[in-house]
Amino acid sequence: MDADVIVVGGGPVGLMLAGELRLAGVRPLVLERHAEVGHSPNANGLGGQIVELLRYRGLLHRFAAVALDPDPEIPGYPFGGMHLDLSRLSDPPLKGLRLQHPSVDRLLAERAVELGAEIRHGHRVVGVEQDDHAVTARVEGPDGTRSVTARFLVGCDGAHSRVRGMAGIAFPGVTYPDVHRLAEVALHPSVTVHENGDLDVPGHGSVEAGFTRGEHGVFAMGSTGPGSLMVQTIEDEEGPADDESPMTMAELGASIRRVRGVDLPLGEPRRLSRYRHEARQAETYRAGRVLLAGDAAHVLPATGIARSVGMLDAVNLAWKLGAEVRGRAPAGLLDSYHRERRHAGARAMLQSQAQVALRRGLDGAADALRELFQELLQDEAPSRRLAAMVSGSDVRYPPPGPGPGPGPGVGVGEGGRRHELAGRFVPDLVLRGADGTTTSVAELLRRARPVLLVLADRPELHDAVAGWRGRVEVHAATTDDRPADALLVRPDAHVAWAAAVGEPGTTAVPTLRESLATWFGAG
């Protein structure tokens, strides 16, 4: 074998997967068709639950160090052409960092290489074959065509994934007719910015910040920092999108004139892109020894979330692949990747398609819907719920049961009830050890190891995990307002099992053992 896992695609998803695979103890080989890191500046930051996951891995400080604003708290978020105000929420569930796309790729690549991953640029996968034991990729590179073989192959090669096609995985969905033109540009010296963000344009007057909907489309504008603007137009256009030729400033200027009716002076471009939104999800995330992650598995019709969803795919998949490669995976573990992350992708699809409905409607009924929706967002509860949906922090993995994945009953505690934390991202509790030292859940998860966290005097739970001591770390601690007597936390920071406060050992011990066996093999 040339590697344990071949990762096709060296963008954020593939690079995140490579680093996580190394933490899981396996050898990834990343094949990226472009000759350099960060080949396409197609996003301007990181947002959503991945920000918390990076903090749990001890990596967030690296990204904050190169961010335009190191504070992950964001005051608001565009949602379907409207504004989701987060400034009024204490501890909002949606966090983000503004930074350039090459920075994300570079930092993730550095981390993966530090951990021992191999990355080959300028290598294009042109064929994939598999059998019961291995998968072989035919690769075109600087030195010609050759074959590389591994136990598994993961397609992280984007919306037009060749791996997905070669694996025969269907990708149903829809392409919307609206064409988005987006640019980050320097502020032109002839333009004045008012305190509210509006621009004063010579010969025209005021141009409003935010979203402006007109007869010919949508115009959006806002500051991305001192001396910098983000400008966007949205127009319906017939025929196929031009994905090959790069967008120019002249093309953007013509679109602004059609949509907003103004010749807007723009400075030097820092980013130019043109795209159409699609809503598609792979029918399966696994076909034998070939798996999909990121845009290869799902394309979402909204900006700002796809990267987070894809990188979280990688985190969910890596520890399961690691267990499979090392011969430690219980039956059904790898199949649980499809069920859990397809569920998460469907949640992301739900809110992003709702954005399409809010954005595209042009009649009076659509105006009424937007007005009502914006009114609802004045209240904290719907704002918080929507922000959690956008971030992905509301995802609760479905309980194991019939179908692909572990068997029934896992994580079900006293009275047949599933603990409210089971299937959710574990909260970062402050933990106090018996010796008076203080740590946190985030610090315990830096090495991506499973953890049994015992938060009460429960010696029977310590005894129950004895058969898994080599695979599961056990930590006893106390915390304020403990949410459970004990938590079994998976390497991807999701709770596999929890014992309710005061739950008797007669139910807690057998369900803990069942969960340990389901996720980490027999004891």
Side-chain angles (χ1 to χ4, degrees):
M1 299 287 176
D2 298 284
D4 294 321
V5 179
I6 297 169
V7 179
V8 182
V13 176
L15 294 171
M16 187 75 191
L17 178 60
E20 291 285 305
L21 285 169
R22 287 301 300 138
L23 291 176
V26 301
R27 298 177 302 126
L29 169 61
V30 180
L31 302 175
E32 166 55 47
R33 64 189 180 93
H34 290 92
E36 58 185 18
V37 176
H39 55 85
S40 175
N42 61 2
N44 64 335
L46 285 173
Q49 193 65 27
I50 192 62
V51 175
E52 278 294 273
L53 191 284
L54 290 171
R55 186 171 69 81
Y56 280 33
R57 291 292 189 259
L59 298 176
L60 188 58
H61 69 283
R62 299 192 185 196
F63 292 86
V66 299
L68 300 174
D69 182 354
D71 184 0
E73 302 292 337
I74 55 177
Y77 187 85
F79 188 89
M82 293 181 298
H83 181 66
L84 174 58
D85 185 3
L86 304 178
S87 63
R88 296 173 286 107
L89 302 182
S90 60
D91 190 27
L94 178 58
K95 295 177 170 55
L97 288 173
R98 289 196 301 115
L99 34 75
Q100 295 300 318
H101 174 84
S103 298
V104 176
D105 284 15
R106 177 175 54 80
L107 291 172
L108 291 173
E110 288 174 359
R111 171 64 169 171
V113 171
E114 285 172 12
L115 293 171
E118 182 181 358
I119 303 172
R120 298 180 187 173
H121 286 92
H123 287 73
R124 181 191 300 269
V125 173
V126 295
V128 173
E129 296 179 353
Q130 61 173 312
D131 57 28
D132 292 340
H133 307 286
V135 58
T136 299
R138 193 166 72 255
V139 184
E140 292 179 351
D143 299 322
T145 301
R146 58 165 294 193
S147 294
V148 293
T149 302
R151 292 281 303 280
F152 292 93
L153 181 147
V154 185
C156 304
D157 51 340
H160 303 291
S161 170
R162 293 174 62 90
V163 168
R164 186 182 61 236
M166 289 184 284
I169 298 174
F171 200 45
V174 61
T175 300
Y176 295 100
D178 42 326
V179 176
H180 298 244
R181 293 178 174 88
L182 183 68
E184 185 175 6
V185 300
L187 186 68
H188 195 275
S190 68
V191 172
T192 302
V193 183
H194 297 294
E195 288 187 4
N196 64 357
D198 293 353
L199 298 184
D200 186 54
V201 178
H204 177 83
S206 181
V207 176
E208 300 84 359
F211 287 82
T212 302
R213 188 178 304 275
E215 181 181 353
H216 302 290
V218 176
F219 172 78
M221 180 192 69
S223 173
T224 58
S228 182
L229 285 177
M230 189 72 77
V231 181
Q232 182 179 21
T233 63
I234 306 173
E235 301 177 85
D236 276 5
E237 295 183 13
E238 298 295 331
D242 182 4
D243 293 329
E244 298 300 325
S245 63
M247 191 179 78
T248 64
M249 291 292 286
E251 178 185 337
L252 176 64
S255 181
I256 293 173
R257 284 191 295 274
R258 291 191 298 269
V259 172
R260 188 59 181 81
V262 58
D263 278 310
L264 182 63
L266 300 173
E268 286 297 313
R270 297 164 184 169
R271 170 188 169 196
L272 289 169
S273 60
R274 177 203 316 107
Y275 56 91
R276 271 189 166 134
H277 277 311
E278 297 185 72
R280 299 184 182 276
Q281 192 169 20
E283 288 190 349
T284 180
Y285 286 18
R286 181 187 181 190
R289 294 184 174 273
V290 177
L291 300 103
L292 304 176
D295 286 354
H298 43 72
V299 177
L300 307 171
T303 56
I305 59 172
R307 180 184 288 181
S308 177
V309 176
M311 291 171 70
L312 291 172
D313 290 345
V315 175
N316 182 289
L317 176 58
W319 71 274
K320 297 173 182 178
L321 265 179
E324 189 75 29
V325 168
R326 299 176 72 186
R328 298 179 176 179
L333 179 65
L334 190 53
D335 284 328
S336 73
Y337 167 68
H338 160 81
R339 180 165 64 175
E340 291 185 342
R341 290 312 297 171
R342 201 171 194 282
H343 166 75
R347 292 289 296 171
M349 190 71 72
L350 175 67
Q351 60 88 4
S352 59
Q353 285 190 295
Q355 292 194 53
V356 173
L358 290 167
R359 184 178 67 235
R360 285 189 50 75
L362 297 176
D363 59 8
D367 291 338
L369 174 63
R370 284 187 285 267
E371 184 176 346
L372 175 60
F373 200 87
Q374 193 70 68
E375 186 174 315
L376 290 173
L377 292 182
Q378 301 307 306
D379 298 332
E380 178 172 347
S383 294
R384 182 173 294 278
R385 187 180 186 91
L386 188 58
M389 287 188 71
V390 172
S391 74
S393 62
D394 73 321
V395 169
R396 186 184 193 190
Y397 290 145
V410 178
V412 176
E414 185 181 9
R417 295 187 301 273
R418 192 180 187 216
H419 194 282
E420 64 178 9
L421 287 178
R424 296 192 182 278
F425 195 87
V426 65
D428 188 17
L429 306 174
V430 176
L431 306 173
R432 294 182 295 274
D435 59 358
T437 58
T438 300
T439 185
S440 67
V441 170
E443 291 181 12
L444 296 182
L445 291 174
R446 288 194 174 182
R447 296 192 302 138
R449 296 268 294 161
V451 173
L452 176 65
L453 184 60
V454 183
L455 300 172
D457 185 16
R458 302 294 300 263
E460 76 277 20
L461 299 182
H462 288 273
D463 293 340
V465 78
W468 289 268
R469 288 280 181 172
R471 283 163 282 167
V472 178
E473 297 181 357
V474 181
H475 292 270
T478 59
T479 190
D480 295 334
D481 300 320
R482 71 179 187 272
D485 276 358
L487 299 170
L488 179 61
V489 186
R490 305 182 332 185
D492 59 359
H494 278 77
V495 176
W497 166 92
V501 173
E503 180 180 343
T506 53
T507 60
V509 168
T511 55
L512 171 58
R513 286 177 173 156
E514 184 182 8
S515 190
L516 286 164
T518 295
W519 296 110
F520 310 116

